[in-house]
Every structure is written in structure tokens, then in C-alpha cells.
Amino acid sequence: AQKITQTQPGMFVQEKEAVTLDCTYDTSDPSYGLFWYKQPSSGEMIFLIYQGSYDQQNATEGRYSLNFQKARKSANLVISASQLGDSAMYFCAMRVAGTASKLTFGTGTRLQVTL
Amino acid sequence: GAVVSQHPSRVICKSGTSVKIECRSLDFQATTMFWYRQFPKQSLMLMATSNEGSKATYEQGVEKDKFLINHASLTLSTLTVTSAHPEDSSFYICSAPTSNGGPNQPQHFGDGTRLSIL
């Protein structure tokens, strides 16, 4: 079985600062993908970034980067130059090959960006 | 990019009413779609996998007769909450992968349906 753990229920960051949201995972399958989604208060799930288990480099997407440490089974999301619009819930999720595309979600981290 | 449309966005109805929620893939075919439920301040919990042309696969603890799923075509899946009660009030959200290949394809989510049963 797969498991995603997000240990930070809430985080605060000042505008323009960087913030790291933690995510650890557990799976025995060698082929998997890790995703981060943003969920604003309106509810929609916005895909941010993806990291594959065989990817040699950490994924980056604009202000988002993923600090992938495979041996430690962690996939932390780094948001640089935080903006007020970044305030939202952030979910880490994992998908394992051969599981019919199912996503397993962590419990989420609520990020609040302050002035 | 790939878009998933979910309708309605909000439903408020009386206890005992059956509510149908639609999930459409707008510019791609989805042989598989997923239905999630999210209670306030909690994570998304997978309820069932909707399969075009075959029966849905339900997660443990989800009542099949309560949450009816029909994958009518390659672009449409519906979730019907039958005889809804206040405890069924929740945020329901669907998703579809653009490919059933490897694990690297992101799932695209609908905007969700906020269901409130009075």
C-alpha cells in the first residue's frame, strides 16, 4: 500500500520569501510519480508540479521546485518569492504504475502568505 | 490543455433527494475517471474508479448502492448520491488522467461539487 505524509498542517510565510512544504512517501514499487496540487478556498485542484521516480533531476516549474530525495523518500515542494495568491491548501500525491492511475493524497498543508 | 468539467458546482437539497453530478472530459477521451470526496479541512479520499464500458470499482467502505456511478461514454461519468442525508454533505470532485500509461501523467480535476443536504 502507498502512503503520503504531510506533517505540517499549517505554514506561514512572508510575501517574497521562500517556503518549503514537506512531503514523505512510502511505497515498495520502484516506478511511481509524485505530484503537488494547490487547492484554493474555491475548491478546485490545480496541478503544480510532477516528479518521476526515475527522474535524475529535481523538477522545476516557474516558482515551484521539488526537492526530491529518493533515499529519504521525500518530495518537498519549494515555493520561491511567495505571493499573496499562493495562500491555499497544498496536497502532495503519489501514483504508482499499474494501479489504474489512482492517486493517493496526503493530508495537506495550509499555507498562509502574509504581508 | 486538458480540461475536466464538473456540474453542478453547488447543490442544496432536502434529505431523501437523489443528486446527480456530472463529470466531463472536454478535449480528451477518458476511459477511466475518479470520484473523490473531501470533508471540510480534510484530504481527498478516493471513493471509486469509474470505468467506461464496465462496472465502477469502489474503495473499501464506500456503499455501491448509495453512490451510483455510470460511465456512459468516453467523455462522461456521473455520480448519483441516492437518497442523500445530511451526513452525505461534502465536497465531491472528479478527475481524469489524460493517459492510462505510466505514472507521470497528471490527473485533471473538475472544479468540484459542494453538496449540502438539509
Side-chain angles (χ1 to χ4, degrees), chain B residues 50-86:
Chain B
S50 175
N51 304 300
E52 193 271 335
S54 64
K55 291 182 180 179
T57 306
Y58 290 82
E59 296 300 301
Q60 195 170 19
V62 177
E63 300 175 58
K64 300 177 183 182
D65 296 332
K66 176 75 171 176
F67 300 100
L68 300 179
I69 290 173
N70 182 27
H71 203 127
S73 72
L74 287 171
T75 58
L76 174 64
S77 174
T78 60
L79 168 68
T80 301
V81 184
T82 60
S83 186
H85 292 285

PDB file of all heavy atoms in Angstrom, chain B residues 50-86:
ATOM      1  N   SER B  50     -14.291   5.018 -11.966  1.00  0.00           N
ATOM      2  CA  SER B  50     -15.328   4.867 -12.977  1.00  0.00           C
ATOM      3  C   SER B  50     -14.696   4.359 -14.265  1.00  0.00           C
ATOM      4  O   SER B  50     -13.748   4.954 -14.770  1.00  0.00           O
ATOM      5  CB  SER B  50     -15.987   6.236 -13.208  1.00  0.00           C
ATOM      6  OG  SER B  50     -16.924   6.193 -14.245  1.00  0.00           O
ATOM      7  N   ASN B  51     -15.221   3.259 -14.777  1.00  0.00           N
ATOM      8  CA  ASN B  51     -14.640   2.628 -15.952  1.00  0.00           C
ATOM      9  C   ASN B  51     -15.650   2.619 -17.092  1.00  0.00           C
ATOM     10  O   ASN B  51     -16.758   2.108 -16.931  1.00  0.00           O
ATOM     11  CB  ASN B  51     -14.235   1.191 -15.635  1.00  0.00           C
ATOM     12  CG  ASN B  51     -13.295   1.102 -14.454  1.00  0.00           C
ATOM     13  OD1 ASN B  51     -12.206   1.658 -14.468  1.00  0.00           O
ATOM     14  ND2 ASN B  51     -13.711   0.398 -13.411  1.00  0.00           N
ATOM     15  N   GLU B  52     -15.251   3.163 -18.214  1.00  0.00           N
ATOM     16  CA  GLU B  52     -16.125   3.184 -19.383  1.00  0.00           C
ATOM     17  C   GLU B  52     -16.358   1.757 -19.863  1.00  0.00           C
ATOM     18  O   GLU B  52     -15.407   0.995 -20.072  1.00  0.00           O
ATOM     19  CB  GLU B  52     -15.504   4.037 -20.494  1.00  0.00           C
ATOM     20  CG  GLU B  52     -16.453   4.371 -21.624  1.00  0.00           C
ATOM     21  CD  GLU B  52     -16.451   3.317 -22.720  1.00  0.00           C
ATOM     22  OE1 GLU B  52     -15.436   2.607 -22.866  1.00  0.00           O
ATOM     23  OE2 GLU B  52     -17.460   3.211 -23.445  1.00  0.00           O
ATOM     24  N   GLY B  53     -17.618   1.399 -19.985  1.00  0.00           N
ATOM     25  CA  GLY B  53     -17.951   0.087 -20.517  1.00  0.00           C
ATOM     26  C   GLY B  53     -17.973  -1.038 -19.494  1.00  0.00           C
ATOM     27  O   GLY B  53     -18.230  -2.195 -19.835  1.00  0.00           O
ATOM     28  N   SER B  54     -17.693  -0.723 -18.248  1.00  0.00           N
ATOM     29  CA  SER B  54     -17.743  -1.759 -17.219  1.00  0.00           C
ATOM     30  C   SER B  54     -18.132  -1.142 -15.879  1.00  0.00           C
ATOM     31  O   SER B  54     -18.263   0.069 -15.765  1.00  0.00           O
ATOM     32  CB  SER B  54     -16.409  -2.489 -17.112  1.00  0.00           C
ATOM     33  OG  SER B  54     -15.397  -1.607 -16.695  1.00  0.00           O
ATOM     34  N   LYS B  55     -18.284  -1.997 -14.894  1.00  0.00           N
ATOM     35  CA  LYS B  55     -18.728  -1.514 -13.579  1.00  0.00           C
ATOM     36  C   LYS B  55     -17.636  -0.703 -12.898  1.00  0.00           C
ATOM     37  O   LYS B  55     -16.446  -0.939 -13.088  1.00  0.00           O
ATOM     38  CB  LYS B  55     -19.102  -2.698 -12.682  1.00  0.00           C
ATOM     39  CG  LYS B  55     -20.352  -3.427 -13.115  1.00  0.00           C
ATOM     40  CD  LYS B  55     -20.685  -4.556 -12.133  1.00  0.00           C
ATOM     41  CE  LYS B  55     -21.953  -5.283 -12.575  1.00  0.00           C
ATOM     42  NZ  LYS B  55     -22.280  -6.396 -11.629  1.00  0.00           N
ATOM     43  N   ALA B  56     -18.094   0.213 -12.080  1.00  0.00           N
ATOM     44  CA  ALA B  56     -17.150   1.009 -11.304  1.00  0.00           C
ATOM     45  C   ALA B  56     -16.504   0.143 -10.218  1.00  0.00           C
ATOM     46  O   ALA B  56     -17.078  -0.838  -9.755  1.00  0.00           O
ATOM     47  CB  ALA B  56     -17.876   2.188 -10.669  1.00  0.00           C
ATOM     48  N   THR B  57     -15.325   0.551  -9.835  1.00  0.00           N
ATOM     49  CA  THR B  57     -14.613  -0.124  -8.750  1.00  0.00           C
ATOM     50  C   THR B  57     -14.658   0.777  -7.533  1.00  0.00           C
ATOM     51  O   THR B  57     -14.161   1.905  -7.574  1.00  0.00           O
ATOM     52  CB  THR B  57     -13.143  -0.367  -9.149  1.00  0.00           C
ATOM     53  OG1 THR B  57     -13.101  -1.064 -10.386  1.00  0.00           O
ATOM     54  CG2 THR B  57     -12.437  -1.178  -8.081  1.00  0.00           C
ATOM     55  N   TYR B  58     -15.237   0.273  -6.463  1.00  0.00           N
ATOM     56  CA  TYR B  58     -15.420   1.090  -5.261  1.00  0.00           C
ATOM     57  C   TYR B  58     -14.324   0.810  -4.237  1.00  0.00           C
ATOM     58  O   TYR B  58     -13.876  -0.333  -4.087  1.00  0.00           O
ATOM     59  CB  TYR B  58     -16.786   0.811  -4.642  1.00  0.00           C
ATOM     60  CG  TYR B  58     -17.931   1.347  -5.469  1.00  0.00           C
ATOM     61  CD1 TYR B  58     -18.428   0.627  -6.565  1.00  0.00           C
ATOM     62  CD2 TYR B  58     -18.516   2.568  -5.165  1.00  0.00           C
ATOM     63  CE1 TYR B  58     -19.466   1.129  -7.331  1.00  0.00           C
ATOM     64  CE2 TYR B  58     -19.562   3.067  -5.913  1.00  0.00           C
ATOM     65  CZ  TYR B  58     -20.029   2.345  -7.003  1.00  0.00           C
ATOM     66  OH  TYR B  58     -21.053   2.849  -7.762  1.00  0.00           O
ATOM     67  N   GLU B  59     -13.953   1.847  -3.523  1.00  0.00           N
ATOM     68  CA  GLU B  59     -12.992   1.684  -2.436  1.00  0.00           C
ATOM     69  C   GLU B  59     -13.697   1.078  -1.231  1.00  0.00           C
ATOM     70  O   GLU B  59     -14.931   1.150  -1.093  1.00  0.00           O
ATOM     71  CB  GLU B  59     -12.367   3.027  -2.082  1.00  0.00           C
ATOM     72  CG  GLU B  59     -11.538   3.634  -3.197  1.00  0.00           C
ATOM     73  CD  GLU B  59     -10.384   2.766  -3.632  1.00  0.00           C
ATOM     74  OE1 GLU B  59      -9.519   2.446  -2.778  1.00  0.00           O
ATOM     75  OE2 GLU B  59     -10.339   2.394  -4.824  1.00  0.00           O
ATOM     76  N   GLN B  60     -12.902   0.503  -0.391  1.00  0.00           N
ATOM     77  CA  GLN B  60     -13.451  -0.144   0.796  1.00  0.00           C
ATOM     78  C   GLN B  60     -14.223   0.865   1.643  1.00  0.00           C
ATOM     79  O   GLN B  60     -13.752   1.975   1.889  1.00  0.00           O
ATOM     80  CB  GLN B  60     -12.295  -0.741   1.622  1.00  0.00           C
ATOM     81  CG  GLN B  60     -12.724  -1.739   2.665  1.00  0.00           C
ATOM     82  CD  GLN B  60     -11.522  -2.459   3.264  1.00  0.00           C
ATOM     83  OE1 GLN B  60     -10.394  -1.995   3.170  1.00  0.00           O
ATOM     84  NE2 GLN B  60     -11.774  -3.602   3.873  1.00  0.00           N
ATOM     85  N   GLY B  61     -15.404   0.453   2.068  1.00  0.00           N
ATOM     86  CA  GLY B  61     -16.216   1.313   2.927  1.00  0.00           C
ATOM     87  C   GLY B  61     -17.168   2.227   2.180  1.00  0.00           C
ATOM     88  O   GLY B  61     -17.995   2.895   2.810  1.00  0.00           O
ATOM     89  N   VAL B  62     -17.087   2.259   0.876  1.00  0.00           N
ATOM     90  CA  VAL B  62     -17.994   3.101   0.091  1.00  0.00           C
ATOM     91  C   VAL B  62     -19.165   2.245  -0.385  1.00  0.00           C
ATOM     92  O   VAL B  62     -18.971   1.192  -0.998  1.00  0.00           O
ATOM     93  CB  VAL B  62     -17.267   3.716  -1.127  1.00  0.00           C
ATOM     94  CG1 VAL B  62     -18.238   4.532  -1.970  1.00  0.00           C
ATOM     95  CG2 VAL B  62     -16.096   4.565  -0.664  1.00  0.00           C
ATOM     96  N   GLU B  63     -20.372   2.705  -0.087  1.00  0.00           N
ATOM     97  CA  GLU B  63     -21.565   1.928  -0.423  1.00  0.00           C
ATOM     98  C   GLU B  63     -21.905   2.060  -1.907  1.00  0.00           C
ATOM     99  O   GLU B  63     -22.226   3.141  -2.401  1.00  0.00           O
ATOM    100  CB  GLU B  63     -22.748   2.424   0.407  1.00  0.00           C
ATOM    101  CG  GLU B  63     -22.568   2.310   1.909  1.00  0.00           C
ATOM    102  CD  GLU B  63     -23.743   2.941   2.633  1.00  0.00           C
ATOM    103  OE1 GLU B  63     -24.884   2.510   2.397  1.00  0.00           O
ATOM    104  OE2 GLU B  63     -23.513   3.897   3.403  1.00  0.00           O
ATOM    105  N   LYS B  64     -21.900   0.942  -2.587  1.00  0.00           N
ATOM    106  CA  LYS B  64     -22.173   0.947  -4.026  1.00  0.00           C
ATOM    107  C   LYS B  64     -23.598   1.393  -4.329  1.00  0.00           C
ATOM    108  O   LYS B  64     -23.854   2.074  -5.317  1.00  0.00           O
ATOM    109  CB  LYS B  64     -21.968  -0.457  -4.596  1.00  0.00           C
ATOM    110  CG  LYS B  64     -20.587  -1.004  -4.419  1.00  0.00           C
ATOM    111  CD  LYS B  64     -20.498  -2.426  -4.953  1.00  0.00           C
ATOM    112  CE  LYS B  64     -19.109  -3.000  -4.687  1.00  0.00           C
ATOM    113  NZ  LYS B  64     -18.957  -4.355  -5.222  1.00  0.00           N
ATOM    114  N   ASP B  65     -24.522   0.977  -3.484  1.00  0.00           N
ATOM    115  CA  ASP B  65     -25.923   1.307  -3.750  1.00  0.00           C
ATOM    116  C   ASP B  65     -26.248   2.749  -3.387  1.00  0.00           C
ATOM    117  O   ASP B  65     -27.261   3.291  -3.813  1.00  0.00           O
ATOM    118  CB  ASP B  65     -26.842   0.375  -2.961  1.00  0.00           C
ATOM    119  CG  ASP B  65     -26.688  -1.065  -3.405  1.00  0.00           C
ATOM    120  OD1 ASP B  65     -26.337  -1.276  -4.582  1.00  0.00           O
ATOM    121  OD2 ASP B  65     -26.903  -1.964  -2.585  1.00  0.00           O
ATOM    122  N   LYS B  66     -25.384   3.344  -2.601  1.00  0.00           N
ATOM    123  CA  LYS B  66     -25.580   4.724  -2.178  1.00  0.00           C
ATOM    124  C   LYS B  66     -25.000   5.688  -3.215  1.00  0.00           C
ATOM    125  O   LYS B  66     -25.581   6.716  -3.515  1.00  0.00           O
ATOM    126  CB  LYS B  66     -24.860   4.926  -0.843  1.00  0.00           C
ATOM    127  CG  LYS B  66     -24.875   6.338  -0.296  1.00  0.00           C
ATOM    128  CD  LYS B  66     -26.230   6.644   0.259  1.00  0.00           C
ATOM    129  CE  LYS B  66     -26.215   7.954   1.003  1.00  0.00           C
ATOM    130  NZ  LYS B  66     -27.585   8.303   1.462  1.00  0.00           N
ATOM    131  N   PHE B  67     -23.870   5.324  -3.735  1.00  0.00           N
ATOM    132  CA  PHE B  67     -23.164   6.177  -4.693  1.00  0.00           C
ATOM    133  C   PHE B  67     -23.083   5.429  -6.025  1.00  0.00           C
ATOM    134  O   PHE B  67     -22.166   4.648  -6.266  1.00  0.00           O
ATOM    135  CB  PHE B  67     -21.766   6.523  -4.168  1.00  0.00           C
ATOM    136  CG  PHE B  67     -21.779   7.254  -2.864  1.00  0.00           C
ATOM    137  CD1 PHE B  67     -21.547   6.589  -1.662  1.00  0.00           C
ATOM    138  CD2 PHE B  67     -22.036   8.623  -2.821  1.00  0.00           C
ATOM    139  CE1 PHE B  67     -21.564   7.277  -0.443  1.00  0.00           C
ATOM    140  CE2 PHE B  67     -22.047   9.311  -1.616  1.00  0.00           C
ATOM    141  CZ  PHE B  67     -21.819   8.641  -0.430  1.00  0.00           C
ATOM    142  N   LEU B  68     -24.065   5.712  -6.870  1.00  0.00           N
ATOM    143  CA  LEU B  68     -24.144   5.030  -8.153  1.00  0.00           C
ATOM    144  C   LEU B  68     -23.290   5.748  -9.184  1.00  0.00           C
ATOM    145  O   LEU B  68     -23.387   6.960  -9.347  1.00  0.00           O
ATOM    146  CB  LEU B  68     -25.602   4.993  -8.635  1.00  0.00           C
ATOM    147  CG  LEU B  68     -26.593   4.263  -7.720  1.00  0.00           C
ATOM    148  CD1 LEU B  68     -27.992   4.327  -8.316  1.00  0.00           C
ATOM    149  CD2 LEU B  68     -26.175   2.826  -7.485  1.00  0.00           C
ATOM    150  N   ILE B  69     -22.464   4.983  -9.866  1.00  0.00           N
ATOM    151  CA  ILE B  69     -21.585   5.573 -10.871  1.00  0.00           C
ATOM    152  C   ILE B  69     -21.887   4.952 -12.227  1.00  0.00           C
ATOM    153  O   ILE B  69     -21.978   3.735 -12.354  1.00  0.00           O
ATOM    154  CB  ILE B  69     -20.109   5.362 -10.488  1.00  0.00           C
ATOM    155  CG1 ILE B  69     -19.778   6.237  -9.277  1.00  0.00           C
ATOM    156  CG2 ILE B  69     -19.190   5.686 -11.663  1.00  0.00           C
ATOM    157  CD1 ILE B  69     -18.408   5.989  -8.704  1.00  0.00           C
ATOM    158  N   ASN B  70     -22.017   5.832 -13.213  1.00  0.00           N
ATOM    159  CA  ASN B  70     -22.258   5.394 -14.577  1.00  0.00           C
ATOM    160  C   ASN B  70     -21.289   6.106 -15.509  1.00  0.00           C
ATOM    161  O   ASN B  70     -21.251   7.335 -15.542  1.00  0.00           O
ATOM    162  CB  ASN B  70     -23.708   5.715 -14.974  1.00  0.00           C
ATOM    163  CG  ASN B  70     -24.017   5.235 -16.373  1.00  0.00           C
ATOM    164  OD1 ASN B  70     -23.415   4.289 -16.866  1.00  0.00           O
ATOM    165  ND2 ASN B  70     -24.967   5.881 -17.028  1.00  0.00           N
ATOM    166  N   HIS B  71     -20.523   5.314 -16.231  1.00  0.00           N
ATOM    167  CA  HIS B  71     -19.570   5.906 -17.190  1.00  0.00           C
ATOM    168  C   HIS B  71     -20.163   5.697 -18.576  1.00  0.00           C
ATOM    169  O   HIS B  71     -19.860   4.738 -19.271  1.00  0.00           O
ATOM    170  CB  HIS B  71     -18.217   5.196 -17.057  1.00  0.00           C
ATOM    171  CG  HIS B  71     -17.060   5.989 -17.541  1.00  0.00           C
ATOM    172  ND1 HIS B  71     -15.958   6.222 -16.751  1.00  0.00           N
ATOM    173  CD2 HIS B  71     -16.821   6.606 -18.717  1.00  0.00           C
ATOM    174  CE1 HIS B  71     -15.075   6.944 -17.431  1.00  0.00           C
ATOM    175  NE2 HIS B  71     -15.570   7.186 -18.626  1.00  0.00           N
ATOM    176  N   ALA B  72     -21.024   6.630 -18.961  1.00  0.00           N
ATOM    177  CA  ALA B  72     -21.885   6.450 -20.125  1.00  0.00           C
ATOM    178  C   ALA B  72     -21.139   6.498 -21.449  1.00  0.00           C
ATOM    179  O   ALA B  72     -21.537   5.877 -22.432  1.00  0.00           O
ATOM    180  CB  ALA B  72     -22.987   7.508 -20.108  1.00  0.00           C
ATOM    181  N   SER B  73     -20.056   7.251 -21.481  1.00  0.00           N
ATOM    182  CA  SER B  73     -19.316   7.399 -22.725  1.00  0.00           C
ATOM    183  C   SER B  73     -17.863   7.686 -22.391  1.00  0.00           C
ATOM    184  O   SER B  73     -17.483   7.754 -21.221  1.00  0.00           O
ATOM    185  CB  SER B  73     -19.893   8.550 -23.555  1.00  0.00           C
ATOM    186  OG  SER B  73     -19.564   9.788 -22.959  1.00  0.00           O
ATOM    187  N   LEU B  74     -17.062   7.857 -23.410  1.00  0.00           N
ATOM    188  CA  LEU B  74     -15.636   8.104 -23.189  1.00  0.00           C
ATOM    189  C   LEU B  74     -15.353   9.494 -22.640  1.00  0.00           C
ATOM    190  O   LEU B  74     -14.208   9.823 -22.323  1.00  0.00           O
ATOM    191  CB  LEU B  74     -14.863   7.894 -24.496  1.00  0.00           C
ATOM    192  CG  LEU B  74     -14.702   6.437 -24.921  1.00  0.00           C
ATOM    193  CD1 LEU B  74     -14.125   6.353 -26.317  1.00  0.00           C
ATOM    194  CD2 LEU B  74     -13.810   5.680 -23.941  1.00  0.00           C
ATOM    195  N   THR B  75     -16.397  10.309 -22.544  1.00  0.00           N
ATOM    196  CA  THR B  75     -16.185  11.663 -22.025  1.00  0.00           C
ATOM    197  C   THR B  75     -17.090  12.013 -20.855  1.00  0.00           C
ATOM    198  O   THR B  75     -17.066  13.145 -20.364  1.00  0.00           O
ATOM    199  CB  THR B  75     -16.406  12.718 -23.134  1.00  0.00           C
ATOM    200  OG1 THR B  75     -17.745  12.565 -23.634  1.00  0.00           O
ATOM    201  CG2 THR B  75     -15.414  12.537 -24.272  1.00  0.00           C
ATOM    202  N   LEU B  76     -17.884  11.076 -20.374  1.00  0.00           N
ATOM    203  CA  LEU B  76     -18.847  11.413 -19.332  1.00  0.00           C
ATOM    204  C   LEU B  76     -18.946  10.320 -18.272  1.00  0.00           C
ATOM    205  O   LEU B  76     -19.162   9.148 -18.573  1.00  0.00           O
ATOM    206  CB  LEU B  76     -20.242  11.648 -19.941  1.00  0.00           C
ATOM    207  CG  LEU B  76     -21.383  11.869 -18.951  1.00  0.00           C
ATOM    208  CD1 LEU B  76     -21.174  13.148 -18.138  1.00  0.00           C
ATOM    209  CD2 LEU B  76     -22.711  11.912 -19.693  1.00  0.00           C
ATOM    210  N   SER B  77     -18.812  10.735 -17.025  1.00  0.00           N
ATOM    211  CA  SER B  77     -19.088   9.869 -15.894  1.00  0.00           C
ATOM    212  C   SER B  77     -20.045  10.613 -14.968  1.00  0.00           C
ATOM    213  O   SER B  77     -19.914  11.829 -14.792  1.00  0.00           O
ATOM    214  CB  SER B  77     -17.802   9.519 -15.140  1.00  0.00           C
ATOM    215  OG  SER B  77     -18.087   8.786 -13.958  1.00  0.00           O
ATOM    216  N   THR B  78     -21.000   9.889 -14.400  1.00  0.00           N
ATOM    217  CA  THR B  78     -21.923  10.522 -13.457  1.00  0.00           C
ATOM    218  C   THR B  78     -21.887   9.797 -12.119  1.00  0.00           C
ATOM    219  O   THR B  78     -21.736   8.567 -12.061  1.00  0.00           O
ATOM    220  CB  THR B  78     -23.371  10.524 -13.992  1.00  0.00           C
ATOM    221  OG1 THR B  78     -23.781   9.175 -14.207  1.00  0.00           O
ATOM    222  CG2 THR B  78     -23.472  11.312 -15.279  1.00  0.00           C
ATOM    223  N   LEU B  79     -22.012  10.589 -11.077  1.00  0.00           N
ATOM    224  CA  LEU B  79     -22.120  10.069  -9.715  1.00  0.00           C
ATOM    225  C   LEU B  79     -23.482  10.480  -9.194  1.00  0.00           C
ATOM    226  O   LEU B  79     -23.815  11.670  -9.182  1.00  0.00           O
ATOM    227  CB  LEU B  79     -21.025  10.648  -8.827  1.00  0.00           C
ATOM    228  CG  LEU B  79     -21.169  10.434  -7.315  1.00  0.00           C
ATOM    229  CD1 LEU B  79     -21.004   8.963  -6.956  1.00  0.00           C
ATOM    230  CD2 LEU B  79     -20.159  11.276  -6.539  1.00  0.00           C
ATOM    231  N   THR B  80     -24.282   9.499  -8.785  1.00  0.00           N
ATOM    232  CA  THR B  80     -25.582   9.799  -8.205  1.00  0.00           C
ATOM    233  C   THR B  80     -25.569   9.420  -6.744  1.00  0.00           C
ATOM    234  O   THR B  80     -25.330   8.244  -6.409  1.00  0.00           O
ATOM    235  CB  THR B  80     -26.706   9.042  -8.942  1.00  0.00           C
ATOM    236  OG1 THR B  80     -26.703   9.421 -10.326  1.00  0.00           O
ATOM    237  CG2 THR B  80     -28.064   9.382  -8.340  1.00  0.00           C
ATOM    238  N   VAL B  81     -25.801  10.402  -5.901  1.00  0.00           N
ATOM    239  CA  VAL B  81     -25.936  10.157  -4.470  1.00  0.00           C
ATOM    240  C   VAL B  81     -27.411   9.879  -4.228  1.00  0.00           C
ATOM    241  O   VAL B  81     -28.253  10.778  -4.334  1.00  0.00           O
ATOM    242  CB  VAL B  81     -25.451  11.363  -3.651  1.00  0.00           C
ATOM    243  CG1 VAL B  81     -25.497  11.045  -2.153  1.00  0.00           C
ATOM    244  CG2 VAL B  81     -24.040  11.770  -4.060  1.00  0.00           C
ATOM    245  N   THR B  82     -27.731   8.643  -3.930  1.00  0.00           N
ATOM    246  CA  THR B  82     -29.139   8.265  -3.808  1.00  0.00           C
ATOM    247  C   THR B  82     -29.650   8.508  -2.394  1.00  0.00           C
ATOM    248  O   THR B  82     -28.932   8.280  -1.410  1.00  0.00           O
ATOM    249  CB  THR B  82     -29.338   6.790  -4.166  1.00  0.00           C
ATOM    250  OG1 THR B  82     -28.558   5.998  -3.258  1.00  0.00           O
ATOM    251  CG2 THR B  82     -28.894   6.497  -5.583  1.00  0.00           C
ATOM    252  N   SER B  83     -30.864   9.005  -2.304  1.00  0.00           N
ATOM    253  CA  SER B  83     -31.496   9.274  -1.018  1.00  0.00           C
ATOM    254  C   SER B  83     -30.497   9.928  -0.055  1.00  0.00           C
ATOM    255  O   SER B  83     -30.175   9.377   1.011  1.00  0.00           O
ATOM    256  CB  SER B  83     -32.047   7.972  -0.425  1.00  0.00           C
ATOM    257  OG  SER B  83     -32.786   8.225   0.748  1.00  0.00           O
ATOM    258  N   ALA B  84     -30.036  11.079  -0.460  1.00  0.00           N
ATOM    259  CA  ALA B  84     -28.977  11.750   0.298  1.00  0.00           C
ATOM    260  C   ALA B  84     -29.452  12.190   1.680  1.00  0.00           C
ATOM    261  O   ALA B  84     -30.600  12.605   1.858  1.00  0.00           O
ATOM    262  CB  ALA B  84     -28.455  12.946  -0.487  1.00  0.00           C
ATOM    263  N   HIS B  85     -28.557  12.097   2.644  1.00  0.00           N
ATOM    264  CA  HIS B  85     -28.834  12.518   4.013  1.00  0.00           C
ATOM    265  C   HIS B  85     -27.777  13.534   4.441  1.00  0.00           C
ATOM    266  O   HIS B  85     -26.733  13.664   3.787  1.00  0.00           O
ATOM    267  CB  HIS B  85     -28.852  11.299   4.937  1.00  0.00           C
ATOM    268  CG  HIS B  85     -30.013  10.388   4.672  1.00  0.00           C
ATOM    269  ND1 HIS B  85     -31.299  10.705   5.063  1.00  0.00           N
ATOM    270  CD2 HIS B  85     -30.090   9.201   4.033  1.00  0.00           C
ATOM    271  CE1 HIS B  85     -32.114   9.740   4.684  1.00  0.00           C
ATOM    272  NE2 HIS B  85     -31.412   8.820   4.055  1.00  0.00           N
ATOM    273  N   PRO B  86     -28.017  14.238   5.530  1.00  0.00           N
ATOM    274  CA  PRO B  86     -27.059  15.276   5.940  1.00  0.00           C
ATOM    275  C   PRO B  86     -25.606  14.795   6.043  1.00  0.00           C
ATOM    276  O   PRO B  86     -24.684  15.550   5.731  1.00  0.00           O
ATOM    277  CB  PRO B  86     -27.602  15.722   7.305  1.00  0.00           C
ATOM    278  CG  PRO B  86     -29.084  15.525   7.179  1.00  0.00           C
ATOM    279  CD  PRO B  86     -29.237  14.265   6.356  1.00  0.00           C
TER     280      PRO B  86
END
